[in-house]
Amino acid sequence: MAAPLRLLQGLTSCVWCGRRSLSSASSTSSAAIRRTFLRYFEQLHGHRHVPSSSVRPRGDPSLLFVNAGMNQFKPIFLGTADPRSEMAQYRRVVNSQKCVRAGGKHNDLEDVGRDVYHHTFFEMLGNWSFGDYFKVEACAMAWELLTHGYEIPADRLYVTYFRGDPELGLAADEETKEIWLSLGVPPSRILPFGLKENFWEMGDTGPCGPCTEIHYDHIGGRNAAPLVNQDSPEVVEIWNLVFMQYNRESDGCLRPLPQCHVDTGMGLERLVTILQGQRSNYATDLFAPVLKAIERGSQAPPYQGRLGAEDSHHVDMAYRVVADHIRTLSVCIADGVYPGTSGAELVLRRILRRAVRFSSEVLRAPPGLLSSLVPTVVEILGDAYPELEREKSQIMRILNESEEAFLVSLQRGRHIIERTIQQGGANLTFPVGVSWSLYRNLGFPLDLIGLMLEERGLCLDTEALDRLAVEEAEKKVRNQQADGAPARVHLDVHSLAELQHRGVPRTNDSPKYNYRLGADGRYVFTPCQATVLTLYRDQSLVSAVDRGERCAAILDRTCYYAEQGGQSCDVGYFVRDGEQDVLFPVESVHVAGGYVVHEITAAEPLRVGDRLLLYLDEGQRLACMVKHTATHLLNFALRQVLGEGTAQRGSHVTAERLRFDVGVTGPVSGVQLQEVEKLLQELIAQDLEIDTAHIPLSDAKCIRGLRTVDEVDRTPSNALLHCIVGEVTDRSRRRVGRCPDSMSEPLLISAHPPYKLQVSSCYKDYYSQDGGMLGVVALQQFESRRLVAAPHCMIRHRRQ
């Protein structure tokens, strides 16, 4: 086998400048360290640099925030990436991913400030192989970069590997051990560990496998093996190399993956600490400028780096909390996550309020300190993440407004706590009812209440609060499950691989665009002829199903629109050719790996090869089409009235209603909503057509003001561009569509059907909720000049 690390000849000094000068101040800067990592894999080993995704997860309800570099590549690991998409072409990838660990399973929030290495926001350096190289190359690249690229002494490094698990029938990863030995690592520095330390899993089910970790000893000149994986600040993990070779099934067993992958992650903050010769992350150039800015903007003494009892007044802890949290707040707001009342927004509000409390009460800083720190954060991180520079003024404005609002609540909360303590006498446990009220009604994070009580010698009844939190979470789950909807049938990674191995063609879904306007002014949807290619039941591909069995049918072609892009799927039924009296209702439709999955309950036995006729529920399709068009009209109208700072944050289109979430820069008045209504009515009254053009996605992205779809795992290389009548040109000035003067921006780029319906007549109501305005717009739809009654369409807006 060829040496895995044979260096390319003629490489310019930009990649390996670090081999000669990493000890200099310029080459050990965090920016240079990040750049060296990326260039090493790009230029020496043919990796593709994929920019960091937003910290807001895309299409993954299991996460509040992106918390690992692999999150954006889940569709590859699960085999669900559309084969026509850009992501499906990835083989070797490198990037630096923005990550947030606060809330959910991975939550470092309450540890931040108490030590010098926990953070809510961090950068994860990573390299990936998707079915390309595996253990030998991954280990060799990592060792070469650390010991030669960054010139970390090899005698400071220790490696771990998976020792196996007899109960699961997993043998020790002796292959990885032998690889490290071949690279010159002494046997005494190659350490075996179990499932907890050296077996990585994506979740309760899904891809998983053994991992090998590289640890660094800050002291050196000793045998530090006993300190590895012992939570010692002197010996820390710096790089984790995961070898995905199994899939955890729903019954708990492990099956080998059809294709093995490599997923590695190295925290930039820890690496910078090592290369800059520090013991604390806060002493590096990622944090030190922020700490200096805090000192200038507050009345606190200089930061001393004290911990625990030595930091008797929590001043240094407050420095660390504010420095960490302002980075998180800046990155999240730049990515469109704003302090709010649920989900990730609620967690961000907790972070903001924790920072405000430490800033105002411990550091005695005047209002506005947090926003004053944003330019420093942008200076440090802006080159790597340009969105920070673009959104700088927006970040500062949101922080100022949010801080001002919370300072009022903080004052009220402080009075409530003091009054409760005075009334409670010598009781050392604070009343749980008051704590819960502060949390639920005033938005006080529970850990913040605990800190305020700790300073007064009191404690929280954490067990009782945990019970209340669990009860509330269970109530939400019960409410969400009240509709009794059946569980979705998901193709697993093995079945997707088997379909590809068999050569089963991806579903041709172009017939979903085949409809026309009839002579009577009604839309005509022609039934689609299709053949059953395979059936899926109980996590297996089968050739036949019996009456009454719930299954998924994969056909050679379909006229059904699958759930995607915030729009619900088509429903309807199909019949076997020649058997019009037996209906197979289609309950749900979604896409996995380019295959359109039709979920059905078989009315009669169904077999591979059966010829079918597919019929849409035309009323549902028409209702979704109208509301989709209305979504883009609303987007345009809101931006015209409220300004260019207005940004769509999401939408949900169903047959019953549409919901439109929009971020705004300030309060929305009733007068402004009336202006939106008026503009919508004017656009509707023009009875404009919708023009469609099929152009390369690369050209479409160059059109001014275009709203693009950020779904690299599902977006094909070509896209349909839809706009209201007028002129639209691409970067070569070639005409690709039409748009009126008043609507000079196209409204949509996607692979959605070309909608031909208009929206007619709207009215609205609005009311106050949580200190903001919630606009509710009811739309009546217009189909060939025939008014059809329609339910409400809700516009939810958040102040930015």
Side-chain angles (χ1 to χ4, degrees), residues 64-98:
L64 290 173
F65 299 98
V66 166
N67 58 23
M70 55 74 59
N71 290 160
Q72 69 169 307
F73 304 118
K74 273 188 178 182
I76 299 179
F77 299 135
L78 297 172
T80 59
D82 191 300
R84 301 168 299 169
S85 68
E86 180 182 1
M87 180 177 286
Q89 312 309 314
Y90 293 166
R91 291 298 175 265
R92 297 184 175 205
V93 164
V94 63
N95 83 347
S96 177
Q97 173 64 48
K98 300 173 293 185

Side-chain angles (χ1 to χ4, degrees), residues 631-644 646 660-662 664 668 672-673 676 679-680 795-797:
T631 300
H632 296 290
L633 290 174
L634 284 169
N635 191 12
F636 173 79
L638 287 165
R639 287 173 61 84
Q640 289 290 105
V641 173
L642 303 179
E644 288 298 310
T646 303
F660 188 87
D661 297 338
V662 58
V664 297
V668 179
Q672 287 174 312
L673 284 176
V676 171
L679 178 54
L680 280 171
I795 302 178
R796 299 194 318 189
H797 74 265

Side-chain angles (χ1 to χ4, degrees), residues 637-678:
L638 287 165
R639 287 173 61 84
Q640 289 290 105
V641 173
L642 303 179
E644 288 298 310
T646 303
Q648 180 178 351
R649 297 302 178 195
S651 65
H652 187 224
V653 175
T654 69
E656 292 74 29
R657 69 167 193 159
L658 73 86
R659 191 197 73 235
F660 188 87
D661 297 338
V662 58
V664 297
T665 57
V668 179
S669 68
V671 172
Q672 287 174 312
L673 284 176
Q674 289 174 350
E675 291 179 25
V676 171
E677 175 190 356
K678 181 181 178 182

Side-chain angles (χ1 to χ4, degrees), residues 629 688-695 719-729 735-740 746-749 752-758:
T629 300
L688 302 170
E689 295 180 2
I690 297 177
D691 198 43
T692 300
H694 199 171
I695 65 173
L720 285 175
L721 173 68
H722 311 292
C723 66
I724 305 301
V725 177
E727 287 276 338
V728 176
T729 57
R735 179 184 176 279
V736 297
R738 294 176 294 162
C739 229
L747 298 177
L748 169 67
I749 172 176
H752 298 183
Y755 306 108
K756 299 296 184 182
L757 298 181
Q758 273 73 47

Side-chain angles (χ1 to χ4, degrees), residues 535 537 544-551 576 579 581-585 600-607 610:
L535 299 161
R537 189 200 57 198
V545 293
D546 290 328
R547 177 193 297 179
E549 290 186 332
R550 181 171 170 77
C551 66
R576 273 196 294 254
E579 298 181 19
D581 56 336
V582 180
L583 309 184
F584 293 79
I600 64 170
T601 300
E604 291 288 345
L606 188 66
R607 294 175 177 80
D610 283 353

